[in-house]
């Protein structure tokens, strides 16, 4: 890994590490009210605190921000109304943190409190006050489509079942807390911001918008990142507020929010209610699907409009479905805004789908593996909602985990309290249409070759721990036949690197590596032509062997440095550009509003088998083993792919077994790493990773995504395994020990009542 030495030695710098001379401390005053009209923000006493250099409030910024051009409802600091407890209202820059904190304590609000709604049901009630005037009824996004013959599909089924599912709201909980460092050069009217972001380009855009500055006067740098997982796809208020403070002080401000504030800033996966109805014939073929989904979105738009669309569109592209109806509603509530979370929009729906599929298979006496096989797609194809599928490794994934787990020999034959469950999942390799459509290429790479024989790769792509910088260096080195040590990378500094659409929706390997291949091939052609001149041969006769270029097998050739000298003769430093664009066929259809969401150049596929033990005396569920197979196309770096798949399993474990935000009267009460419990290494089962390589014709060397597709499968595979172990099928997540215990008690009481009734009769 190219960033490995810095990270393991402690040399890697994260945003909070940029402590430069004369940097002021930034602190944020947050609303104690869940929903209120702001009458006054009194900062007079705060301004008297020695060391305070500037205070900003909503009055300092009248521009909204947001990831989507059609849904920018949020101010960096609330102006007219606060809509959740913890929403930023004012901020302080002071000489030190103590002074900033004291100033924060002296800020007071006068408000007129309004009714607050913490559930979808309350926010949708007829009496509810609208959180935003432009969203009547508190419905932020209302999605509907019906493709095929739904009633006919159910009529063709041998079994029709309907079930409700509930998934709790979950947060990303990155190791690195949110932070920003900003410097304003008043003499030149220039702003520099270091941010913990997955998309420096979005931060750049929103800084220009909220500061009302020309984009050319702003520089955004992304240092090392301690985890993103979707939250940092959006520009966060921390970055904008820090920049506002820097400009007001005319200096440097560093804001590092604490763990509780990082939780409040949120942008996690929304609490979701799903009603799913499915028809299945005796062969296990799904004949119809009727899905209704409600998502508690929080107080602002965030990425939520896309989330509710993904949940519907991605019902497709994994199985061969033809009669599908989807109703989705994202509802505004007085809780922190949700957004994109690893597996964006697909995880909760996949939990419901794979759970009902398993339950119906059991009822029909079918093997769960056989039911998945009965519904395979045949690639290449287009789904009924026009999603393009060119490669499809799901069959190999299912075969792989079936064999590795000993499914045929062990399923249904384990000791009491033990069980096996399986499920499948899929994900996109980057969205085919960017969020902010500009007409520019999806990805651009610059390669610089200079006199010293080094190649510098310039990219705006954000390395966020997923290994993108490593695979980009690998890609260029591979095309040129050089050792990776010849290639250095400079990433995500808008002053020197080309714009990139960022690290989200698993797009970097697919799109940016394709751009890197184009750039490297251009550079290779230049080098071959230079070698041909030097060797007095024709370019088509030149053989590139990396460190040696030769004109024939008997030719000793010339080394790389000599070719570089020849290539640079008379023109100097060489810079080449590689671009990548998606093709129109991948953009999704127009059969319903929002149909483009889900469109991608390639889908990854995954299958999982989970083995559990359930202690019926305590309700404790232990995951004994996980077998997971992931179709990533070509694995460009097997270590990285395995790491990403294991990370997906752990994150799936968290949502399935322990993670859940909790609110009391709108106040987040789980904003710490004790009450919001993520799996630790002690909880980790053996994870047996298989890499399936279903070559994609459009992928770089055939590669597809590997960072998200495995996550969704864990949740239903776990609950299916629990059902196999104790005969209780959970439809609510997370499956905590108290819930397991309560379910077992309920079953025991029902059994006693049945026995008593039988005795009486």
């Amino acid at each position: 890994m190219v960033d490995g030495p810095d990270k393991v030695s402690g040399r890697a710098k994260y945003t909070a590490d940029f402590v430069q001379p004369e940097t002021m401390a930034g602190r944020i005053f947050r609303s104690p009210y869940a929903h209120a009209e702001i009458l006054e923000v009194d900062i007079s006493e705060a301004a008297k605190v020695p060391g305070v250099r500037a205070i900003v409030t909503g009055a300092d910024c009248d521009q909204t921000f947001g990831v989507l051009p059609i849904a920018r409802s949020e101010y960096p600091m609330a102006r007219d109304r606060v809509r959740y407890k913890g929403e930023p209202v004012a901020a302080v820059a002071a000489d030190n943190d103590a002074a900033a904190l004291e100033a924060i304590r002296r800020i007071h609000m006068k408000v007129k409190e309004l009714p607050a709604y913490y559930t979808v049901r309350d926010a949708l009630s007829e009496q509810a006050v609208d959180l935003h005037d432009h969203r009547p009824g508190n419905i932020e996004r209302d999605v509907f489509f019906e493709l095929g013959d739904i009633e006919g599909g159910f009529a063709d089924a041998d079994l029709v079942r309907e079930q409700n599912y509930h998934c709790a709201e979950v947060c990303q909980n990155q190791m690195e807390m949110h932070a920003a460092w900003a410097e304003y050069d008043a003499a030149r009217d220039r702003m520099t911001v270091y941010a913990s972001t997955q998309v420096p380009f979005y931060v750049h855009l929103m800084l220009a918008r909220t500061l009302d500055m020309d984009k050319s006067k702003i520089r955004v740098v992304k240092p090392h990142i301690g985890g993103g997982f979707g939250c940092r796809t959006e520009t966060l208020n921390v970055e904008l507020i820090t920049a506002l403070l820097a400009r007001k002080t005319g200096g440097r401000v560093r804001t590092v929010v604490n763990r509780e504030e990082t939780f409040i800033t949120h942008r996690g996966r929304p609490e979701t209610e799903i009603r799913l109805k499915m028809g299945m014939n005796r062969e296990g073929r799904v004949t119809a699907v009727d899905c209704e989904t409600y998502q508690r979105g929080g107080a602002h738009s965030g990425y939520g409009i896309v989330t509710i669309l993904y949940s519907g569109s991605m019902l497709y592209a994994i199985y061969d479905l033809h009669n599908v109806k989807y109703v989705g509603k994202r509802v505004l509530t007085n809780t922190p805004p949700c957004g994109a979370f690893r597996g964006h929009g697909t995880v909760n729906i996949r939990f419901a789908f794979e759970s009902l599929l398993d339950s119906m298979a059991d009822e029909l006496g079918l093997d769960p593996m056989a039911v998945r096989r009965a519904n395979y797609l045949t690639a290449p194809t287009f789904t009924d909602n026009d999603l393009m599928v060119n490669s499809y490794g799901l069959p190999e994934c299912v075969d792989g985990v079936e064999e590795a787990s000993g499914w045929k020999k062990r399923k249904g034959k384990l000791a009491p309290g033990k069980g096996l469950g399986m499920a499948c999942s899929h994900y996109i390799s980057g969205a085919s249409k960017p969020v902010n459509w500009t007409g520019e290429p999806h990805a651009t790479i610059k390669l610089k070759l200079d006199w010293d024989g080094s190649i510098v790769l310039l990219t705006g792509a954000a390395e966020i721990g997923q290994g993108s910088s490593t695979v980009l260096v690998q890609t260029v080195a591979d095309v040129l036949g050089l050792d990776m040590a010849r290639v250095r990378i400079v990433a995500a500094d808008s002053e020197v690197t080309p714009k990139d659409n960022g690290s989200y929706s698993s797009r970097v390997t697919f799109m940016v590596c394709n751009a890197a291949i184009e750039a490297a091939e251009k550079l290779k052609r230049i080098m071959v032509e230079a070698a041909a001149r030097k060797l007095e041969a024709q370019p088509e006769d030149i053989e590139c062997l990396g460190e040696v270029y030769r004109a024939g097998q008997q030719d000793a050739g010339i080394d790389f440095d000599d070719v570089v000298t020849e290539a640079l003769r008379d023109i100097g430093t060489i810079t080449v550009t590689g671009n990548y664009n998606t093709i129109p066929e991948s953009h999704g259809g127009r059969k319903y509003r929002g149909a483009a969401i889900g469109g991608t150049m390639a889908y990854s596929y995954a299958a999982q088998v989970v083995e559990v033990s359930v202690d019926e005396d305590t309700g404790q569920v232990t995951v004994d083993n996980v077998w997971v197979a992931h179709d990533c196309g070509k694995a460009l770096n097997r270590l990285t792919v395995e790491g990403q798949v294991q990370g997906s399993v752990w994150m799936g474990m968290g949502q399935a077994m322990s993670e859940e935000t909790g609110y009391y009267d709108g106040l987040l009460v789980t904003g710490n790493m004790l009450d919001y419990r993520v799996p630790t290494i002690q909880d980790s089962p053996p994870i047996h990773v298989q890499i399936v390589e279903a070559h994609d014709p459009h992928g770089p060397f055939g590669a597809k995504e590997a960072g998200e597709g495995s996550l969704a499968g864990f949740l239903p595979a776990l609950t299916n395994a629990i059902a196999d172990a104790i005969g209780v099928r959970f439809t609510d997540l997370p499956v905590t020990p108290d819930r397991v215990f309560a379910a077992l008690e309920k079953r025991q009481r029902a059994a006693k009542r049945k026995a008593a009734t039988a005795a009486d009769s």
Side-chain angles (χ1 to χ4, degrees), residues 25 33 103 118 134 145 150 155 168 241 282 329 374 411 424 498 523 551 659 743 752 760:
Y33 305 99
Y118 310 124
H134 66 292
F145 68 78
I150 306 301
I241 291 170
R282 293 192 185 282
K329 296 181 191 296
K411 172 67 173 173
C424 298
L523 183 58
E659 294 183 39
K752 286 180 180 177
D760 291 343

Side-chain angles (χ1 to χ4, degrees), residues 216-245:
S216 66
K217 294 181 177 294
I218 295 171
R219 175 190 179 194
V220 176
V221 182
K222 179 212 70 67
H224 286 282
I225 295 291
F229 312 115
C231 171
R232 291 166 177 166
T233 300
E234 301 186 39
T235 304
L236 303 176
N237 47 43
V238 178
E239 295 141 10
L240 304 176
I241 291 170
T242 304
L244 286 165
L245 286 170

Side-chain angles (χ1 to χ4, degrees), residues 158-174:
D158 293 304
L159 180 67
V160 176
R161 288 290 179 264
E162 184 172 336
Q163 181 65 53
N164 293 322
Y165 297 88
H166 171 264
C167 299
E169 180 182 274
V170 289
C171 295
Q172 289 87 353
N173 198 12
Q174 308 92 336

Side-chain angles (χ1 to χ4, degrees), residues 166-246:
H166 171 264
C167 299
E169 180 182 274
V170 289
C171 295
Q172 289 87 353
N173 198 12
Q174 308 92 336
M175 290 298 291
E176 179 197 15
M177 292 178 285
H178 297 324
W181 181 93
E183 178 181 35
Y184 181 66
D185 181 347
R188 297 176 177 81
D189 186 27
R190 289 184 180 275
M191 177 69 72
T192 299
V193 174
Y194 285 55
S196 303
T197 178
Q198 296 173 235
V199 191
F201 166 54
Y202 289 173
V203 175
H204 201 135
L205 273 182
M206 291 304 104
L207 284 170
R209 178 182 169 92
T210 54
L211 297 173
D212 192 23
M213 286 182 69
D214 192 285
K215 294 190 289 289
S216 66
K217 294 181 177 294
I218 295 171
R219 175 190 179 194
V220 176
V221 182
K222 179 212 70 67
H224 286 282
I225 295 291
F229 312 115
C231 171
R232 291 166 177 166
T233 300
E234 301 186 39
T235 304
L236 303 176
N237 47 43
V238 178
E239 295 141 10
L240 304 176
I241 291 170
T242 304
L244 286 165
L245 286 170

Side-chain angles (χ1 to χ4, degrees), residues 746-761:
K746 183 178 178 182
R747 188 180 66 177
Q748 288 172 357
R749 286 197 298 270
K752 286 180 180 177
R753 283 197 299 272
K754 185 177 180 181
T757 302
D760 291 343
S761 63

